[in-house]
Amino acid sequence: MASIPKQYKACVYDQPGKISTTIEMLETPEPGPGEVLINLTHSGVCHSDMGVMTNSWANLPFPTQPGQVGGHEGVGKVVKLGPGAELTTVKLGDRVGVKWISSTCGSCPACLESADGVCFNQKISGYYTPGTFQQYVVGPANYVTPIPDALGSADAAPMLCAGVTTYAALRKSGAKSGQWVVISGAGGGLGHIAVQLSSRGMSQRVIGIDHGSKEKLVYDSGAELFIDLTKHDDQSIVEEVKSITGGLGASTVIVCTANNKAYDQGMDFLRFGGTLVCVGMPEGKSQPIAKSYPSTMILKLQTITAVAVGNRREAIEVLEFAARGIIKTHYRVEKMEKLTEVILFKLTNGEGVHANDSQVFQEMESGKLQGRVVLDLQ
């Protein structure tokens, strides 16, 4: 195994509140008791990373600090064991994943019910805990996720958030095989994986809703029908969903987009006994779901529920789906410098000129990003 360097490269948020990152050299950490040191090779890039970086999530308890290493979909090899870690199932050379929840206490009421996402003492990768936009990270040996041998590291990375979260959402929805499922934001990083899990993994009938530019991706992911949201107003898009579903509406609506309007529309998409699952976290000031009238929900037996992220078991299960080829992330690979890249070219006269190229977060903010971006950290 290669020697461990004293310093390594990391991408940090240098101006929280803005879309801005910089590359820094950091000191390689030592794994503590029960921890492992991981040499990360890949990390997915999630919309949540942008929310943390820009401080646009009003419900976070504290603003992000300068120097925070972002990211929470990391995959790499274990290169060092901390004291006591040798007693766990993790061994040197194992490929493991680091998720949104980097560690849980294992003993609070939430943990005892396998509700990892709401652990009272959780640590979050990329938010007051070093994230995965870096070459080395420390993680608890009992909480890192094993990566199947049949699954490439770049393919595995998005499963650690987008995959496990949408899988948990579909499980929590109670949707059955053959039922209609509407997925809002179906062409995004979470959405296109949700489409695959629903249609190919659970044999449900999927209606994907997104911008028209993402139609092919949504159909390729297994949707039965696609609705271009730019071609409809609030009334006609509901009428379209009702028409497709025989006038009843969908049994489940999964909102993967961080858009309040999608939540408002989602309630009108539901049939009797239907469930809306909140997944995408809207940015800015918190707003209630406008169409969640108690009287309507009572008369139609409708339910609203939510998923922050899946638990350890669900992470392992969704990785197995990917290893078997049932789901596959649509992604492109970029270097970490391209998160908010500004390349400085030196000209022959000694002057410099800035050239922007594939700025991932800017592309994400504009809504143009299809599927996922995975960073090659080496």
Side-chain angles (χ1 to χ4, degrees):
M1 188 171 292
S3 61
I4 300 172
K6 292 183 178 180
Q7 292 187 320
Y8 65 93
K9 189 165 61 173
C11 184
V12 306
Y13 303 149
D14 57 333
Q15 300 181 66
K18 299 180 180 179
I19 296 180
S20 180
T21 62
T22 188
I23 305 299
E24 293 184 1
M25 297 301 295
L26 302 180
E27 299 292 325
T28 304
E30 283 290 324
E35 294 181 333
V36 294
L37 177 65
I38 307 163
N39 178 201
L40 295 171
T41 60
H42 296 84
S43 177
V45 183
C46 181
H47 197 277
S48 301
D49 297 317
M50 188 170 71
V52 171
M53 174 179 56
T54 58
N55 286 319
S56 57
W57 282 1
N59 289 335
L60 289 179
F62 307 106
T64 304
Q65 298 299 303
Q68 173 70 58
V69 178
H72 57 272
E73 294 180 344
V75 177
K77 287 187 176 182
V78 175
V79 294
K80 192 171 185 178
L81 303 177
E86 72 277 2
L87 302 177
T88 69
T89 58
V90 179
K91 306 302 179 188
L92 284 175
D94 285 357
R95 273 192 316 147
V96 297
V98 177
K99 306 180 292 297
W100 168 254
I101 304 297
S102 65
S103 68
T104 60
C105 70
S107 58
C108 71
C111 284
L112 294 177
E113 295 185 25
S114 296
D116 298 18
V118 290
C119 166
F120 298 178
N121 305 296
Q122 64 182 238
K123 292 185 178 179
I124 298 176
S125 298
Y127 178 69
Y128 286 84
T129 297
T132 59
F133 295 160
Q134 57 181 338
Q135 295 174 324
Y136 286 86
V137 73
V138 166
N142 67 354
Y143 202 73
V144 294
T145 303
I147 305 298
D149 291 339
L151 188 62
S153 295
D155 292 299
M159 293 298 132
L160 297 167
C161 177
V164 66
T165 301
T166 53
Y167 179 55
L170 285 161
R171 283 169 51 87
K172 196 167 186 178
S173 76
K176 298 179 176 61
S177 298
Q179 291 185 331
W180 285 105
V181 174
V182 169
I183 297 177
S184 293
L190 276 76
H192 84 289
I193 296 176
V195 172
Q196 294 177 64
L197 282 166
S198 180
S199 63
R200 297 169 183 165
M202 301 178 181
S203 299
Q204 294 153 356
R205 305 180 72 180
V206 176
I207 302 170
I209 299 178
D210 213 317
H211 189 278
S213 62
K214 301 180 182 181
E215 180 176 1
K216 183 178 185 303
L217 173 58
V218 175
Y219 273 126
D220 288 347
S221 297
E224 189 165 331
L225 289 162
F226 175 81
I227 298 176
D228 182 349
L229 59 84
T230 67
K231 295 181 178 179
H232 292 274
D233 57 27
D234 289 350
Q235 181 177 345
S236 67
I237 196 169
V238 172
E239 291 172 350
E240 181 73 5
V241 170
K242 292 292 180 69
S243 174
I244 292 169
T245 58
L248 292 176
S251 296
T252 294
V253 175
I254 310 285
V255 181
C256 294
T257 181
N259 187 295
N260 284 299
K261 187 173 183 179
Y263 282 101
D264 299 342
Q265 293 174 337
M267 294 303 297
D268 286 336
F269 296 156
L270 289 175
R271 59 173 279 166
F272 66 90
T275 299
L276 182 142
V277 186
C278 307
V279 176
M281 182 86 80
E283 297 171 353
K285 185 178 180 181
S286 295
Q287 298 180 30
I289 298 175
K291 299 289 185 69
S292 57
Y293 305 116
S295 56
T296 302
M297 294 176 66
I298 291 168
L299 292 172
K300 292 188 175 183
L301 302 177
Q302 293 173 338
T303 302
I304 298 175
T305 188
V307 167
V309 71
N311 58 35
R312 282 176 285 183
R313 179 175 59 82
E314 289 166 331
I316 291 170
E317 289 176 358
V318 81
L319 284 164
E320 288 296 336
F321 269 114
R324 290 159 54 201
I326 294 173
I327 55 175
K328 182 176 176 58
T329 308
H330 175 87
Y331 67 89
R332 72 173 193 266
V333 177
E334 300 281 8
K335 303 298 285 187
M336 70 168 78
E337 290 83 356
K338 289 194 175 182
L339 280 175
T340 54
E341 182 176 60
V342 179
I343 305 174
L344 182 63
F345 292 98
K346 291 292 184 180
L347 303 182
T348 55
N349 61 3
E351 297 179 357
V353 59
H354 289 286
N356 295 334
D357 177 29
S358 185
Q359 298 173 334
V360 175
F361 278 129
Q362 285 88 339
E363 192 176 350
M364 184 181 290
E365 183 185 41
S366 69
K368 297 178 180 178
L369 184 63
Q370 295 195 25
R372 212 69 162 172
V373 166
V374 174
L375 300 182
D376 177 354
L377 301 172
Q378 299 302 299

